[in-house]
Amino acid sequence: MVDVTPPADEDTSLTVYDHNNQQVQAGNILYDLIHVARITSSRCPGLLEAIAIITFPSAQAPDPNSPLVQDRISHISRFLWTGRLGIRCTDRSDYGYTSEPNTAGIIYIHLNRQLVAAWSRKKTGGWFRLVKWANNYHLLKFAVHLVAVHEYIHAIMFRFAAPAGTPDIIRGARGEAGYWAEDWLTGNGRAYFLYNRGQTLVFDQICAVHFANADGHFLELKKADRKILKALAAGQWRPFPQNIRRYPPGDWPRIRGNRSDRSRTECARSGQTS
C-alpha cells in the first residue's frame, strides 16, 4: 500500500485567491475547504488507482497491482500536496475549469466566483442572513467542495497524462476527467446540480444534487439533508452514505419536476477543462 500522507518535511501550503481576488491563508473558509478537498482527493485509494491507470496510454496500461501503478499513485499523492497548484475564483458560465500549466509551470484551478460568493455570504453574512438561508448552506458548501475535487483530478491529468497527441488514451483526452471523477468518488455516477425553477446558475437557488448512473439509476441529496451534506463537505466520503434517496431508471423526469438542472461538466470549452 502506497503512503499517501502529506510529506512532513516540505511546504504543503496552498495558493488560494477568494471571490474578491484576495489571497487567503489557513483559517479562511475557502482555503480550509480547498484543503479538505485536497485531502478527499489524496485519500481515496480507488480514485488514486483509477487516475494512476488512466494516465498511461491504453496500449501500456499496467496491472493495478504493478509497481508502475503504485509508483504513479505515490507521485500523484505527492503532487497534490507539494505540486505547483493555484486556486482562483473567476467569472464563468459554468462551475469551474482547470487551465494548462502556465509558463511558470503552475496549474490554476478556477472556481466560479458567484458560486463561491453565494456560499461565503451565507457563512459570513451575520446571524440574520445565516438563519434566513441556512436551509441550503451545507448544500452550497458541498457544491464548492465537489467542484474543487473534480478540478483537482483535472490538474492530476494535466500533470501526469500522456502528452497531447498521444493516441488512444484511456477514456479521453489530456486533462479530461469528466464524469469519471464523480463516479470514482461516489460510485453513483455523474453529478448534476438542481435549482428552483427558472433559477439555473443563481447559486442561492441550488436545491439538490443528483448523481446519475449511465443505466438511469440516480440518487438525490436535497438541501434538507444537512447532516449528510455536512459530513461530505468535511471530506467524509468513505464509506459513501447509504441512507440517501435512490431512484430507478425513468424516475428522473418525475422527481425533477419543474426544477432546472445543469450538469457541472457540460460546459467544457476549447483550451479549458471543466
Side-chain angles (χ1 to χ4, degrees), residues 195-232:
Y195 299 77
N196 293 319
R197 186 177 184 181
Q199 299 296 320
T200 304
L201 293 185
V202 179
F203 295 107
D204 280 341
Q205 299 298 315
I206 291 178
C207 61
V209 60
H210 282 180
F211 289 95
N213 279 322
D215 64 4
H217 288 84
F218 71 96
L219 60 81
E220 179 180 60
L221 279 168
K222 301 178 72 173
K223 58 188 179 183
D225 298 316
R226 287 186 286 271
K227 185 175 181 180
I228 296 173
L229 290 166
K230 185 176 181 180
L232 290 172

PDB file of all heavy atoms in Angstrom, residues 195-232:
ATOM      1  N   TYR A 195     -31.797  23.413  -9.400  1.00  0.00           N
ATOM      2  CA  TYR A 195     -32.144  24.747  -8.921  1.00  0.00           C
ATOM      3  C   TYR A 195     -33.659  24.884  -8.836  1.00  0.00           C
ATOM      4  O   TYR A 195     -34.399  24.158  -9.501  1.00  0.00           O
ATOM      5  CB  TYR A 195     -31.618  25.825  -9.881  1.00  0.00           C
ATOM      6  CG  TYR A 195     -30.127  25.846 -10.039  1.00  0.00           C
ATOM      7  CD1 TYR A 195     -29.479  24.891 -10.831  1.00  0.00           C
ATOM      8  CD2 TYR A 195     -29.349  26.803  -9.410  1.00  0.00           C
ATOM      9  CE1 TYR A 195     -28.106  24.894 -10.970  1.00  0.00           C
ATOM     10  CE2 TYR A 195     -27.982  26.818  -9.553  1.00  0.00           C
ATOM     11  CZ  TYR A 195     -27.351  25.857 -10.336  1.00  0.00           C
ATOM     12  OH  TYR A 195     -25.992  25.868 -10.465  1.00  0.00           O
ATOM     13  N   ASN A 196     -34.102  25.834  -8.027  1.00  0.00           N
ATOM     14  CA  ASN A 196     -35.508  26.182  -8.062  1.00  0.00           C
ATOM     15  C   ASN A 196     -35.873  26.650  -9.469  1.00  0.00           C
ATOM     16  O   ASN A 196     -35.030  27.198 -10.183  1.00  0.00           O
ATOM     17  CB  ASN A 196     -35.820  27.273  -7.038  1.00  0.00           C
ATOM     18  CG  ASN A 196     -35.643  26.774  -5.618  1.00  0.00           C
ATOM     19  OD1 ASN A 196     -36.017  25.658  -5.289  1.00  0.00           O
ATOM     20  ND2 ASN A 196     -35.031  27.595  -4.777  1.00  0.00           N
ATOM     21  N   ARG A 197     -37.086  26.457  -9.856  1.00  0.00           N
ATOM     22  CA  ARG A 197     -37.498  26.674 -11.249  1.00  0.00           C
ATOM     23  C   ARG A 197     -37.078  28.047 -11.771  1.00  0.00           C
ATOM     24  O   ARG A 197     -37.299  29.070 -11.126  1.00  0.00           O
ATOM     25  CB  ARG A 197     -39.015  26.533 -11.367  1.00  0.00           C
ATOM     26  CG  ARG A 197     -39.513  26.612 -12.807  1.00  0.00           C
ATOM     27  CD  ARG A 197     -41.001  26.408 -12.895  1.00  0.00           C
ATOM     28  NE  ARG A 197     -41.429  26.399 -14.286  1.00  0.00           N
ATOM     29  CZ  ARG A 197     -42.701  26.260 -14.665  1.00  0.00           C
ATOM     30  NH1 ARG A 197     -43.639  26.103 -13.757  1.00  0.00           N
ATOM     31  NH2 ARG A 197     -43.009  26.274 -15.939  1.00  0.00           N
ATOM     32  N   GLY A 198     -36.461  28.030 -12.972  1.00  0.00           N
ATOM     33  CA  GLY A 198     -36.099  29.278 -13.633  1.00  0.00           C
ATOM     34  C   GLY A 198     -34.887  29.970 -13.050  1.00  0.00           C
ATOM     35  O   GLY A 198     -34.575  31.095 -13.430  1.00  0.00           O
ATOM     36  N   GLN A 199     -34.158  29.295 -12.155  1.00  0.00           N
ATOM     37  CA  GLN A 199     -33.053  29.952 -11.455  1.00  0.00           C
ATOM     38  C   GLN A 199     -31.711  29.282 -11.742  1.00  0.00           C
ATOM     39  O   GLN A 199     -30.816  29.312 -10.917  1.00  0.00           O
ATOM     40  CB  GLN A 199     -33.322  29.956  -9.945  1.00  0.00           C
ATOM     41  CG  GLN A 199     -34.571  30.689  -9.530  1.00  0.00           C
ATOM     42  CD  GLN A 199     -34.495  32.164  -9.848  1.00  0.00           C
ATOM     43  OE1 GLN A 199     -33.452  32.791  -9.672  1.00  0.00           O
ATOM     44  NE2 GLN A 199     -35.584  32.725 -10.334  1.00  0.00           N
ATOM     45  N   THR A 200     -31.573  28.646 -12.911  1.00  0.00           N
ATOM     46  CA  THR A 200     -30.320  27.961 -13.234  1.00  0.00           C
ATOM     47  C   THR A 200     -29.131  28.910 -13.127  1.00  0.00           C
ATOM     48  O   THR A 200     -29.133  29.999 -13.696  1.00  0.00           O
ATOM     49  CB  THR A 200     -30.378  27.377 -14.649  1.00  0.00           C
ATOM     50  OG1 THR A 200     -31.514  26.515 -14.731  1.00  0.00           O
ATOM     51  CG2 THR A 200     -29.124  26.567 -14.954  1.00  0.00           C
ATOM     52  N   LEU A 201     -28.125  28.484 -12.388  1.00  0.00           N
ATOM     53  CA  LEU A 201     -26.900  29.245 -12.128  1.00  0.00           C
ATOM     54  C   LEU A 201     -27.132  30.492 -11.274  1.00  0.00           C
ATOM     55  O   LEU A 201     -26.271  31.344 -11.199  1.00  0.00           O
ATOM     56  CB  LEU A 201     -26.170  29.596 -13.430  1.00  0.00           C
ATOM     57  CG  LEU A 201     -25.593  28.386 -14.183  1.00  0.00           C
ATOM     58  CD1 LEU A 201     -24.793  28.851 -15.395  1.00  0.00           C
ATOM     59  CD2 LEU A 201     -24.742  27.516 -13.298  1.00  0.00           C
ATOM     60  N   VAL A 202     -28.289  30.592 -10.606  1.00  0.00           N
ATOM     61  CA  VAL A 202     -28.457  31.531  -9.492  1.00  0.00           C
ATOM     62  C   VAL A 202     -28.176  30.696  -8.249  1.00  0.00           C
ATOM     63  O   VAL A 202     -29.040  29.986  -7.752  1.00  0.00           O
ATOM     64  CB  VAL A 202     -29.871  32.141  -9.449  1.00  0.00           C
ATOM     65  CG1 VAL A 202     -30.005  33.085  -8.258  1.00  0.00           C
ATOM     66  CG2 VAL A 202     -30.174  32.872 -10.753  1.00  0.00           C
ATOM     67  N   PHE A 203     -26.942  30.770  -7.756  1.00  0.00           N
ATOM     68  CA  PHE A 203     -26.459  29.740  -6.844  1.00  0.00           C
ATOM     69  C   PHE A 203     -27.163  29.723  -5.504  1.00  0.00           C
ATOM     70  O   PHE A 203     -27.222  28.688  -4.842  1.00  0.00           O
ATOM     71  CB  PHE A 203     -24.942  29.885  -6.665  1.00  0.00           C
ATOM     72  CG  PHE A 203     -24.195  29.633  -7.937  1.00  0.00           C
ATOM     73  CD1 PHE A 203     -23.611  30.669  -8.641  1.00  0.00           C
ATOM     74  CD2 PHE A 203     -24.119  28.362  -8.470  1.00  0.00           C
ATOM     75  CE1 PHE A 203     -22.951  30.444  -9.833  1.00  0.00           C
ATOM     76  CE2 PHE A 203     -23.456  28.116  -9.665  1.00  0.00           C
ATOM     77  CZ  PHE A 203     -22.870  29.163 -10.351  1.00  0.00           C
ATOM     78  N   ASP A 204     -27.740  30.866  -5.082  1.00  0.00           N
ATOM     79  CA  ASP A 204     -28.547  30.846  -3.867  1.00  0.00           C
ATOM     80  C   ASP A 204     -29.737  29.903  -4.002  1.00  0.00           C
ATOM     81  O   ASP A 204     -30.326  29.508  -3.007  1.00  0.00           O
ATOM     82  CB  ASP A 204     -29.064  32.256  -3.545  1.00  0.00           C
ATOM     83  CG  ASP A 204     -28.015  33.112  -2.867  1.00  0.00           C
ATOM     84  OD1 ASP A 204     -27.048  32.547  -2.329  1.00  0.00           O
ATOM     85  OD2 ASP A 204     -28.160  34.347  -2.877  1.00  0.00           O
ATOM     86  N   GLN A 205     -30.085  29.550  -5.244  1.00  0.00           N
ATOM     87  CA  GLN A 205     -31.279  28.753  -5.502  1.00  0.00           C
ATOM     88  C   GLN A 205     -30.986  27.277  -5.762  1.00  0.00           C
ATOM     89  O   GLN A 205     -31.867  26.538  -6.183  1.00  0.00           O
ATOM     90  CB  GLN A 205     -32.028  29.337  -6.695  1.00  0.00           C
ATOM     91  CG  GLN A 205     -32.492  30.768  -6.494  1.00  0.00           C
ATOM     92  CD  GLN A 205     -33.477  30.879  -5.335  1.00  0.00           C
ATOM     93  OE1 GLN A 205     -34.387  30.074  -5.213  1.00  0.00           O
ATOM     94  NE2 GLN A 205     -33.274  31.862  -4.475  1.00  0.00           N
ATOM     95  N   ILE A 206     -29.747  26.820  -5.527  1.00  0.00           N
ATOM     96  CA  ILE A 206     -29.479  25.383  -5.617  1.00  0.00           C
ATOM     97  C   ILE A 206     -30.306  24.668  -4.553  1.00  0.00           C
ATOM     98  O   ILE A 206     -30.287  25.042  -3.378  1.00  0.00           O
ATOM     99  CB  ILE A 206     -27.985  25.085  -5.415  1.00  0.00           C
ATOM    100  CG1 ILE A 206     -27.168  25.599  -6.604  1.00  0.00           C
ATOM    101  CG2 ILE A 206     -27.744  23.581  -5.251  1.00  0.00           C
ATOM    102  CD1 ILE A 206     -25.683  25.386  -6.465  1.00  0.00           C
ATOM    103  N   CYS A 207     -31.051  23.653  -4.984  1.00  0.00           N
ATOM    104  CA  CYS A 207     -31.930  22.961  -4.035  1.00  0.00           C
ATOM    105  C   CYS A 207     -31.622  21.472  -3.901  1.00  0.00           C
ATOM    106  O   CYS A 207     -32.150  20.818  -3.000  1.00  0.00           O
ATOM    107  CB  CYS A 207     -33.393  23.158  -4.421  1.00  0.00           C
ATOM    108  SG  CYS A 207     -33.838  22.521  -6.052  1.00  0.00           S
ATOM    109  N   ALA A 208     -30.794  20.917  -4.784  1.00  0.00           N
ATOM    110  CA  ALA A 208     -30.485  19.482  -4.702  1.00  0.00           C
ATOM    111  C   ALA A 208     -29.306  19.171  -5.601  1.00  0.00           C
ATOM    112  O   ALA A 208     -28.938  19.953  -6.483  1.00  0.00           O
ATOM    113  CB  ALA A 208     -31.696  18.641  -5.120  1.00  0.00           C
ATOM    114  N   VAL A 209     -28.707  18.010  -5.362  1.00  0.00           N
ATOM    115  CA  VAL A 209     -27.694  17.472  -6.274  1.00  0.00           C
ATOM    116  C   VAL A 209     -28.091  16.035  -6.587  1.00  0.00           C
ATOM    117  O   VAL A 209     -28.523  15.291  -5.699  1.00  0.00           O
ATOM    118  CB  VAL A 209     -26.270  17.546  -5.684  1.00  0.00           C
ATOM    119  CG1 VAL A 209     -26.154  16.771  -4.388  1.00  0.00           C
ATOM    120  CG2 VAL A 209     -25.242  17.043  -6.689  1.00  0.00           C
ATOM    121  N   HIS A 210     -28.035  15.674  -7.851  1.00  0.00           N
ATOM    122  CA  HIS A 210     -28.302  14.307  -8.289  1.00  0.00           C
ATOM    123  C   HIS A 210     -27.013  13.667  -8.768  1.00  0.00           C
ATOM    124  O   HIS A 210     -26.191  14.313  -9.416  1.00  0.00           O
ATOM    125  CB  HIS A 210     -29.299  14.297  -9.454  1.00  0.00           C
ATOM    126  CG  HIS A 210     -30.720  14.503  -9.025  1.00  0.00           C
ATOM    127  ND1 HIS A 210     -31.764  14.533  -9.917  1.00  0.00           N
ATOM    128  CD2 HIS A 210     -31.267  14.693  -7.803  1.00  0.00           C
ATOM    129  CE1 HIS A 210     -32.902  14.731  -9.269  1.00  0.00           C
ATOM    130  NE2 HIS A 210     -32.621  14.837  -7.993  1.00  0.00           N
ATOM    131  N   PHE A 211     -26.838  12.387  -8.437  1.00  0.00           N
ATOM    132  CA  PHE A 211     -25.777  11.572  -9.013  1.00  0.00           C
ATOM    133  C   PHE A 211     -26.456  10.526  -9.883  1.00  0.00           C
ATOM    134  O   PHE A 211     -27.194   9.674  -9.375  1.00  0.00           O
ATOM    135  CB  PHE A 211     -24.935  10.910  -7.922  1.00  0.00           C
ATOM    136  CG  PHE A 211     -24.058  11.865  -7.173  1.00  0.00           C
ATOM    137  CD1 PHE A 211     -24.475  12.424  -5.976  1.00  0.00           C
ATOM    138  CD2 PHE A 211     -22.809  12.220  -7.670  1.00  0.00           C
ATOM    139  CE1 PHE A 211     -23.663  13.308  -5.285  1.00  0.00           C
ATOM    140  CE2 PHE A 211     -21.997  13.100  -6.991  1.00  0.00           C
ATOM    141  CZ  PHE A 211     -22.419  13.655  -5.793  1.00  0.00           C
ATOM    142  N   ALA A 212     -26.235  10.616 -11.200  1.00  0.00           N
ATOM    143  CA  ALA A 212     -26.949   9.764 -12.151  1.00  0.00           C
ATOM    144  C   ALA A 212     -25.993   8.781 -12.818  1.00  0.00           C
ATOM    145  O   ALA A 212     -24.972   9.176 -13.385  1.00  0.00           O
ATOM    146  CB  ALA A 212     -27.637  10.619 -13.211  1.00  0.00           C
ATOM    147  N   ASN A 213     -26.330   7.491 -12.756  1.00  0.00           N
ATOM    148  CA  ASN A 213     -25.553   6.448 -13.422  1.00  0.00           C
ATOM    149  C   ASN A 213     -25.939   6.343 -14.894  1.00  0.00           C
ATOM    150  O   ASN A 213     -27.015   6.787 -15.310  1.00  0.00           O
ATOM    151  CB  ASN A 213     -25.803   5.088 -12.754  1.00  0.00           C
ATOM    152  CG  ASN A 213     -24.982   4.915 -11.491  1.00  0.00           C
ATOM    153  OD1 ASN A 213     -23.834   5.342 -11.441  1.00  0.00           O
ATOM    154  ND2 ASN A 213     -25.565   4.296 -10.477  1.00  0.00           N
ATOM    155  N   ALA A 214     -25.054   5.732 -15.669  1.00  0.00           N
ATOM    156  CA  ALA A 214     -25.324   5.560 -17.096  1.00  0.00           C
ATOM    157  C   ALA A 214     -26.552   4.691 -17.331  1.00  0.00           C
ATOM    158  O   ALA A 214     -27.219   4.816 -18.364  1.00  0.00           O
ATOM    159  CB  ALA A 214     -24.106   4.951 -17.781  1.00  0.00           C
ATOM    160  N   ASP A 215     -26.887   3.804 -16.379  1.00  0.00           N
ATOM    161  CA  ASP A 215     -28.046   2.929 -16.564  1.00  0.00           C
ATOM    162  C   ASP A 215     -29.357   3.581 -16.163  1.00  0.00           C
ATOM    163  O   ASP A 215     -30.417   2.955 -16.251  1.00  0.00           O
ATOM    164  CB  ASP A 215     -27.858   1.622 -15.787  1.00  0.00           C
ATOM    165  CG  ASP A 215     -27.792   1.835 -14.277  1.00  0.00           C
ATOM    166  OD1 ASP A 215     -27.964   2.983 -13.812  1.00  0.00           O
ATOM    167  OD2 ASP A 215     -27.558   0.840 -13.554  1.00  0.00           O
ATOM    168  N   GLY A 216     -29.299   4.846 -15.733  1.00  0.00           N
ATOM    169  CA  GLY A 216     -30.523   5.565 -15.409  1.00  0.00           C
ATOM    170  C   GLY A 216     -30.849   5.646 -13.933  1.00  0.00           C
ATOM    171  O   GLY A 216     -31.691   6.449 -13.524  1.00  0.00           O
ATOM    172  N   HIS A 217     -30.224   4.813 -13.094  1.00  0.00           N
ATOM    173  CA  HIS A 217     -30.425   4.935 -11.649  1.00  0.00           C
ATOM    174  C   HIS A 217     -29.799   6.242 -11.163  1.00  0.00           C
ATOM    175  O   HIS A 217     -28.777   6.681 -11.688  1.00  0.00           O
ATOM    176  CB  HIS A 217     -29.776   3.758 -10.912  1.00  0.00           C
ATOM    177  CG  HIS A 217     -30.500   2.457 -11.077  1.00  0.00           C
ATOM    178  ND1 HIS A 217     -30.304   1.636 -12.172  1.00  0.00           N
ATOM    179  CD2 HIS A 217     -31.423   1.839 -10.302  1.00  0.00           C
ATOM    180  CE1 HIS A 217     -31.067   0.557 -12.056  1.00  0.00           C
ATOM    181  NE2 HIS A 217     -31.755   0.659 -10.933  1.00  0.00           N
ATOM    182  N   PHE A 218     -30.380   6.846 -10.161  1.00  0.00           N
ATOM    183  CA  PHE A 218     -29.772   8.054  -9.607  1.00  0.00           C
ATOM    184  C   PHE A 218     -30.149   8.188  -8.140  1.00  0.00           C
ATOM    185  O   PHE A 218     -31.110   7.576  -7.654  1.00  0.00           O
ATOM    186  CB  PHE A 218     -30.196   9.297 -10.392  1.00  0.00           C
ATOM    187  CG  PHE A 218     -31.637   9.717 -10.191  1.00  0.00           C
ATOM    188  CD1 PHE A 218     -31.979  10.697  -9.270  1.00  0.00           C
ATOM    189  CD2 PHE A 218     -32.643   9.144 -10.937  1.00  0.00           C
ATOM    190  CE1 PHE A 218     -33.291  11.084  -9.089  1.00  0.00           C
ATOM    191  CE2 PHE A 218     -33.967   9.529 -10.772  1.00  0.00           C
ATOM    192  CZ  PHE A 218     -34.293  10.503  -9.841  1.00  0.00           C
ATOM    193  N   LEU A 219     -29.352   8.964  -7.434  1.00  0.00           N
ATOM    194  CA  LEU A 219     -29.674   9.288  -6.046  1.00  0.00           C
ATOM    195  C   LEU A 219     -29.769  10.798  -5.901  1.00  0.00           C
ATOM    196  O   LEU A 219     -29.244  11.551  -6.721  1.00  0.00           O
ATOM    197  CB  LEU A 219     -28.654   8.697  -5.075  1.00  0.00           C
ATOM    198  CG  LEU A 219     -27.184   9.085  -5.170  1.00  0.00           C
ATOM    199  CD1 LEU A 219     -26.913  10.416  -4.503  1.00  0.00           C
ATOM    200  CD2 LEU A 219     -26.326   7.999  -4.512  1.00  0.00           C
ATOM    201  N   GLU A 220     -30.457  11.226  -4.868  1.00  0.00           N
ATOM    202  CA  GLU A 220     -30.727  12.648  -4.681  1.00  0.00           C
ATOM    203  C   GLU A 220     -30.350  13.087  -3.281  1.00  0.00           C
ATOM    204  O   GLU A 220     -30.744  12.469  -2.286  1.00  0.00           O
ATOM    205  CB  GLU A 220     -32.209  12.935  -4.927  1.00  0.00           C
ATOM    206  CG  GLU A 220     -32.593  14.401  -4.739  1.00  0.00           C
ATOM    207  CD  GLU A 220     -34.061  14.650  -4.983  1.00  0.00           C
ATOM    208  OE1 GLU A 220     -34.892  14.040  -4.264  1.00  0.00           O
ATOM    209  OE2 GLU A 220     -34.392  15.448  -5.876  1.00  0.00           O
ATOM    210  N   LEU A 221     -29.564  14.154  -3.214  1.00  0.00           N
ATOM    211  CA  LEU A 221     -29.286  14.840  -1.958  1.00  0.00           C
ATOM    212  C   LEU A 221     -29.975  16.197  -2.015  1.00  0.00           C
ATOM    213  O   LEU A 221     -29.703  16.995  -2.904  1.00  0.00           O
ATOM    214  CB  LEU A 221     -27.780  15.031  -1.769  1.00  0.00           C
ATOM    215  CG  LEU A 221     -26.993  13.851  -1.234  1.00  0.00           C
ATOM    216  CD1 LEU A 221     -25.498  14.111  -1.392  1.00  0.00           C
ATOM    217  CD2 LEU A 221     -27.332  13.592   0.225  1.00  0.00           C
ATOM    218  N   LYS A 222     -30.860  16.449  -1.067  1.00  0.00           N
ATOM    219  CA  LYS A 222     -31.598  17.706  -1.045  1.00  0.00           C
ATOM    220  C   LYS A 222     -31.027  18.608   0.034  1.00  0.00           C
ATOM    221  O   LYS A 222     -30.276  18.171   0.921  1.00  0.00           O
ATOM    222  CB  LYS A 222     -33.080  17.438  -0.803  1.00  0.00           C
ATOM    223  CG  LYS A 222     -33.715  16.547  -1.864  1.00  0.00           C
ATOM    224  CD  LYS A 222     -35.174  16.265  -1.582  1.00  0.00           C
ATOM    225  CE  LYS A 222     -36.023  17.500  -1.833  1.00  0.00           C
ATOM    226  NZ  LYS A 222     -37.473  17.175  -1.714  1.00  0.00           N
ATOM    227  N   LYS A 223     -31.400  19.867  -0.022  1.00  0.00           N
ATOM    228  CA  LYS A 223     -30.886  20.828   0.945  1.00  0.00           C
ATOM    229  C   LYS A 223     -31.278  20.463   2.379  1.00  0.00           C
ATOM    230  O   LYS A 223     -30.615  20.884   3.333  1.00  0.00           O
ATOM    231  CB  LYS A 223     -31.371  22.230   0.604  1.00  0.00           C
ATOM    232  CG  LYS A 223     -32.884  22.381   0.546  1.00  0.00           C
ATOM    233  CD  LYS A 223     -33.253  23.742   0.001  1.00  0.00           C
ATOM    234  CE  LYS A 223     -34.764  23.917  -0.104  1.00  0.00           C
ATOM    235  NZ  LYS A 223     -35.127  25.212  -0.710  1.00  0.00           N
ATOM    236  N   ALA A 224     -32.337  19.657   2.532  1.00  0.00           N
ATOM    237  CA  ALA A 224     -32.750  19.244   3.871  1.00  0.00           C
ATOM    238  C   ALA A 224     -31.823  18.182   4.459  1.00  0.00           C
ATOM    239  O   ALA A 224     -31.852  17.945   5.673  1.00  0.00           O
ATOM    240  CB  ALA A 224     -34.185  18.715   3.829  1.00  0.00           C
ATOM    241  N   ASP A 225     -30.974  17.562   3.635  1.00  0.00           N
ATOM    242  CA  ASP A 225     -30.066  16.513   4.108  1.00  0.00           C
ATOM    243  C   ASP A 225     -28.812  17.127   4.717  1.00  0.00           C
ATOM    244  O   ASP A 225     -27.677  16.792   4.343  1.00  0.00           O
ATOM    245  CB  ASP A 225     -29.697  15.578   2.956  1.00  0.00           C
ATOM    246  CG  ASP A 225     -30.899  14.849   2.379  1.00  0.00           C
ATOM    247  OD1 ASP A 225     -31.717  14.366   3.174  1.00  0.00           O
ATOM    248  OD2 ASP A 225     -31.007  14.769   1.139  1.00  0.00           O
ATOM    249  N   ARG A 226     -29.000  18.012   5.661  1.00  0.00           N
ATOM    250  CA  ARG A 226     -27.873  18.799   6.175  1.00  0.00           C
ATOM    251  C   ARG A 226     -26.818  17.936   6.857  1.00  0.00           C
ATOM    252  O   ARG A 226     -25.625  18.198   6.728  1.00  0.00           O
ATOM    253  CB  ARG A 226     -28.395  19.886   7.129  1.00  0.00           C
ATOM    254  CG  ARG A 226     -29.110  21.021   6.428  1.00  0.00           C
ATOM    255  CD  ARG A 226     -29.481  22.130   7.384  1.00  0.00           C
ATOM    256  NE  ARG A 226     -30.591  21.756   8.237  1.00  0.00           N
ATOM    257  CZ  ARG A 226     -31.876  21.958   7.927  1.00  0.00           C
ATOM    258  NH1 ARG A 226     -32.186  22.504   6.765  1.00  0.00           N
ATOM    259  NH2 ARG A 226     -32.843  21.614   8.746  1.00  0.00           N
ATOM    260  N   LYS A 227     -27.243  16.911   7.582  1.00  0.00           N
ATOM    261  CA  LYS A 227     -26.277  16.071   8.297  1.00  0.00           C
ATOM    262  C   LYS A 227     -25.363  15.351   7.321  1.00  0.00           C
ATOM    263  O   LYS A 227     -24.139  15.306   7.511  1.00  0.00           O
ATOM    264  CB  LYS A 227     -27.021  15.071   9.179  1.00  0.00           C
ATOM    265  CG  LYS A 227     -26.087  14.232  10.049  1.00  0.00           C
ATOM    266  CD  LYS A 227     -26.872  13.335  10.997  1.00  0.00           C
ATOM    267  CE  LYS A 227     -25.939  12.526  11.881  1.00  0.00           C
ATOM    268  NZ  LYS A 227     -26.719  11.641  12.802  1.00  0.00           N
ATOM    269  N   ILE A 228     -25.937  14.778   6.255  1.00  0.00           N
ATOM    270  CA  ILE A 228     -25.134  14.069   5.259  1.00  0.00           C
ATOM    271  C   ILE A 228     -24.244  15.043   4.506  1.00  0.00           C
ATOM    272  O   ILE A 228     -23.050  14.797   4.296  1.00  0.00           O
ATOM    273  CB  ILE A 228     -26.049  13.319   4.273  1.00  0.00           C
ATOM    274  CG1 ILE A 228     -26.840  12.234   5.006  1.00  0.00           C
ATOM    275  CG2 ILE A 228     -25.224  12.707   3.138  1.00  0.00           C
ATOM    276  CD1 ILE A 228     -27.883  11.557   4.140  1.00  0.00           C
ATOM    277  N   LEU A 229     -24.805  16.181   4.083  1.00  0.00           N
ATOM    278  CA  LEU A 229     -24.040  17.169   3.319  1.00  0.00           C
ATOM    279  C   LEU A 229     -22.890  17.736   4.144  1.00  0.00           C
ATOM    280  O   LEU A 229     -21.798  17.961   3.623  1.00  0.00           O
ATOM    281  CB  LEU A 229     -24.965  18.303   2.872  1.00  0.00           C
ATOM    282  CG  LEU A 229     -25.984  17.931   1.795  1.00  0.00           C
ATOM    283  CD1 LEU A 229     -27.055  19.011   1.695  1.00  0.00           C
ATOM    284  CD2 LEU A 229     -25.301  17.728   0.447  1.00  0.00           C
ATOM    285  N   LYS A 230     -23.138  17.961   5.420  1.00  0.00           N
ATOM    286  CA  LYS A 230     -22.082  18.482   6.291  1.00  0.00           C
ATOM    287  C   LYS A 230     -20.917  17.509   6.371  1.00  0.00           C
ATOM    288  O   LYS A 230     -19.742  17.913   6.302  1.00  0.00           O
ATOM    289  CB  LYS A 230     -22.646  18.750   7.693  1.00  0.00           C
ATOM    290  CG  LYS A 230     -21.674  19.407   8.643  1.00  0.00           C
ATOM    291  CD  LYS A 230     -22.345  19.713   9.979  1.00  0.00           C
ATOM    292  CE  LYS A 230     -21.373  20.404  10.930  1.00  0.00           C
ATOM    293  NZ  LYS A 230     -22.022  20.714  12.230  1.00  0.00           N
ATOM    294  N   ALA A 231     -21.218  16.205   6.480  1.00  0.00           N
ATOM    295  CA  ALA A 231     -20.157  15.191   6.549  1.00  0.00           C
ATOM    296  C   ALA A 231     -19.392  15.121   5.231  1.00  0.00           C
ATOM    297  O   ALA A 231     -18.155  15.049   5.218  1.00  0.00           O
ATOM    298  CB  ALA A 231     -20.756  13.837   6.900  1.00  0.00           C
ATOM    299  N   LEU A 232     -20.095  15.149   4.101  1.00  0.00           N
ATOM    300  CA  LEU A 232     -19.436  15.081   2.798  1.00  0.00           C
ATOM    301  C   LEU A 232     -18.548  16.297   2.573  1.00  0.00           C
ATOM    302  O   LEU A 232     -17.415  16.176   2.093  1.00  0.00           O
ATOM    303  CB  LEU A 232     -20.478  14.970   1.684  1.00  0.00           C
ATOM    304  CG  LEU A 232     -21.243  13.653   1.591  1.00  0.00           C
ATOM    305  CD1 LEU A 232     -22.367  13.756   0.571  1.00  0.00           C
ATOM    306  CD2 LEU A 232     -20.310  12.505   1.225  1.00  0.00           C
TER     307      LEU A 232
END
